[in-house]
Amino acid sequence: MHRGTMPKSLRLARQNIALYFLLLPACAYILLLNYFPMYGIQIAFRDFSFSKGITGSPWVGLKWFRTFFNSPQAMRLIGNTLALSLYSLIAGFPIPVLLALVMHNLPSRGLRRISQTITYLPHFISTVVLVGMMNCFFSVNGGFINTLISMLGMHPVYFMGETKYFRHLYVWSGIWQNAGWSSIIYLAALTGISQELHEAAMIDGANKLQRIWHIDLPGILPTMVTLLILNSGNILSVGFEKVYLMQNSLNHSVSDILSTYTYDYGILRTRYSYSAAIGLFNNVVNFSILVLVNAISRRLSETSLW
């Protein structure tokens, strides 16, 4: 094929061949750690045993899915997972937006940097340390929260063991830890808004709140919609580690979710096919919600993932 008749895309690929070689390690990483393990999904449809291997284990079809949905725990686990996830999404999604708007409109650059640093720092606390801090703060014996309650003449409360407090503690501790870090992307979007819009609005007599409502919020709306779509795709994927660390025999009825149940049966009880079926159901639901929310967003606005 002569150079004049070669497609433009192929010519660009030949000109940037070195860049494609730089992509090879990343592609290999994704293939080996994300796509190759998908071969093991079939154990959700087999009665898997190590001695027989994946292909040697007998095919049982949807047996493990029926076992899960016929179990008395199924609806409770799905309900607990949805309640925790939706609570986290509804309470946690707008706070980074508000935090970014507040920090972006602080009058002093020094104050802005200090506030950003303070709000970012909790993100770097590990989950184990965070739950340890919560156990100390809310301890019945010596915790400063219960110390204050006692000083007010009330009886100490075992917050970490009460079922009615578990979801609130989980969600709001997560918001405290991650709100500052999550606001970074909104701050980046806000800095990309043209200052000429603000100057024109000020000339027209718009105050600070009016400029935030009519300029800043519309400017970061595409970013908000994109992140909302991505968060909606994880609606059944509540983090395992924090829930498991906060879980105890007293709050088990509300803290037992799909990920902890999968760990209990898959790792501790070695029921690999059963836990794989639950995990596959979880991922299929998440993917379906992601596609649905993306389609709704594309229909109602111009922002979507694809």
Side-chain angles (χ1 to χ4, degrees), residues 99-113:
L99 185 61
L101 290 171
V102 170
M103 290 192 294
H104 181 71
N105 288 281
L106 288 175
S108 169
R109 179 174 294 182
L111 180 60
R112 194 181 309 154
R113 290 178 177 176

Side-chain angles (χ1 to χ4, degrees), residues 111-287:
L111 180 60
R112 194 181 309 154
R113 290 178 177 176
I114 292 172
S115 62
Q116 287 175 358
T117 302
I118 292 173
T119 55
Y120 295 168
L121 285 177
H123 175 77
F124 299 100
I125 300 174
S126 71
T127 305
V128 176
V129 174
L130 175 64
V131 176
M133 291 169 58
M134 293 169 63
N135 283 321
C136 292
F137 294 160
F138 294 100
S139 173
V140 176
N141 301 315
F144 82 88
I145 299 296
N146 274 306
T147 300
L148 292 175
I149 290 175
S150 299
M151 291 173 62
L152 295 173
M154 295 181 287
H155 295 290
V157 179
Y158 185 27
F159 289 97
M160 301 300 288
E162 292 272 0
T163 57
K164 61 183 179 181
Y165 296 121
F166 173 82
R167 290 169 182 155
H168 302 300
L169 291 173
Y170 176 90
V171 171
W172 290 103
S173 63
I175 292 173
W176 172 79
Q177 184 179 26
N178 296 312
W181 185 260
S182 300
S183 68
I184 293 176
I185 191 168
Y186 297 115
L187 285 170
L190 286 167
T191 56
I193 297 174
S194 175
Q195 288 302 311
E196 295 178 356
L197 295 174
H198 284 278
E199 293 170 0
M202 291 171 66
I203 293 173
D204 290 338
N207 58 33
K208 177 73 74 174
L209 288 177
Q210 289 173 329
R211 285 186 280 125
I212 290 174
W213 183 258
H214 294 287
I215 298 175
D216 288 340
L217 274 176
I220 64 174
L221 186 60
T223 303
M224 293 170 58
V225 172
T226 300
L227 291 178
L228 180 62
I229 294 171
L230 292 173
N231 290 335
S232 299
N234 293 317
I235 203 73
L236 282 182
S237 296
V238 178
F240 158 79
E241 184 180 9
K242 186 178 177 182
V243 175
Y244 191 74
L245 290 170
M246 292 178 62
Q247 193 176 84
N248 55 54
S249 58
L250 297 177
N251 62 27
H252 191 267
S253 61
V254 296
S255 65
D256 195 19
I257 59 176
L258 287 172
S259 58
T260 57
Y261 185 77
T262 302
Y263 171 78
D264 182 26
Y265 275 80
I267 304 299
L268 302 183
R269 307 191 190 187
T270 65
R271 296 183 62 182
Y272 302 111
S273 293
Y274 182 55
S275 60
I278 300 173
L280 182 57
F281 158 74
N282 191 352
N283 291 328
V284 169
V285 171
N286 284 335
F287 180 74

